[in-house]
Amino acid sequence: MFEARAVDCQRAAAELESAVAGLGGTPAEGGTTAGALHRGWVTLRGTVSANDDLSILEECERGEDAALERYRDALKETLPANIASMVRAQYEGTKRNHDQVRNLRDRMKAIHK
C-alpha cells in the first residue's frame, strides 16, 4: 500500500511541476517538497527502528494531514480551470490516502487496547 501511495505522490508532484513549467514558472528544486519528503522519511525511519506499527501509521497520517491542508489552501486560490481541476483531483487522492491510513491506524489502536 505504501509503495503504491509513494508512486501516486511522485506522479502528482510531476504533474504539478509540469503545470508550473507550462505556465512559465520554474518548479522548485530541493525546496519545500524535497524538505518535507526528507523530514517525513527521517521521522518514518526513526519510528520504524522502534518497530512500532501504530507510531508509523500515526506519523503517516500526520503527513497526510499536512498535505491535505496545503491542497485546501491551494484550492482557495484563483487558479486556471485546468490547474484547479488537477489540484482538486490530487486533493481527492490525498484524502483517500489519508482515510486509508487513518483506518489502518484505528484498527491498530483497537488491537493494542
Side-chain angles (χ1 to χ4, degrees), residues 15-30:
E15 278 184 329
L16 290 170
E17 289 174 355
S18 177
V20 168
L23 293 171
T26 303
E29 291 182 27

Side-chain angles (χ1 to χ4, degrees), residues 3-4 13 15 17 21 25 27 31 42 54 57 69 73 78 92 103 112:
E3 287 180 23
E15 278 184 329
E17 289 174 355
V42 167
L54 181 58
L57 291 168
E69 186 63 31
D73 289 346
T78 302
E92 291 301 326
N103 292 340
H112 284 250

Side-chain angles (χ1 to χ4, degrees), residues 28-43:
E29 291 182 27
T32 54
T33 302
L37 288 172
H38 175 72
R39 286 187 301 275
W41 282 113
V42 167
T43 302

Side-chain angles (χ1 to χ4, degrees), residues 2 60 67 103:
F2 289 112
C60 290
N103 292 340

Side-chain angles (χ1 to χ4, degrees), residues 15-110:
E15 278 184 329
L16 290 170
E17 289 174 355
S18 177
V20 168
L23 293 171
T26 303
E29 291 182 27
T32 54
T33 302
L37 288 172
H38 175 72
R39 286 187 301 275
W41 282 113
V42 167
T43 302
L44 182 59
R45 193 173 348 146
T47 57
V48 168
S49 67
N51 197 25
D52 183 353
D53 292 339
L54 181 58
S55 294
I56 293 168
L57 291 168
E58 287 171 341
E59 188 59 37
C60 290
E61 186 181 15
R62 273 192 288 280
E64 295 296 325
D65 286 340
L68 284 171
E69 186 63 31
R70 289 191 180 185
Y71 276 112
R72 285 184 195 114
D73 289 346
L75 288 168
K76 291 176 187 173
E77 300 295 323
T78 302
L79 301 169
N82 63 325
I83 303 297
S85 177
M86 177 187 60
V87 171
R88 204 171 301 109
Q90 289 186 9
Y91 168 78
E92 291 301 326
T94 301
K95 190 166 179 346
R96 281 189 302 275
N97 293 346
H98 173 274
D99 293 350
Q100 190 173 25
V101 169
R102 182 198 60 220
N103 292 340
L104 287 170
R105 184 217 55 208
D106 289 349
R107 281 189 238 144
M108 188 63 62
K109 277 186 175 180

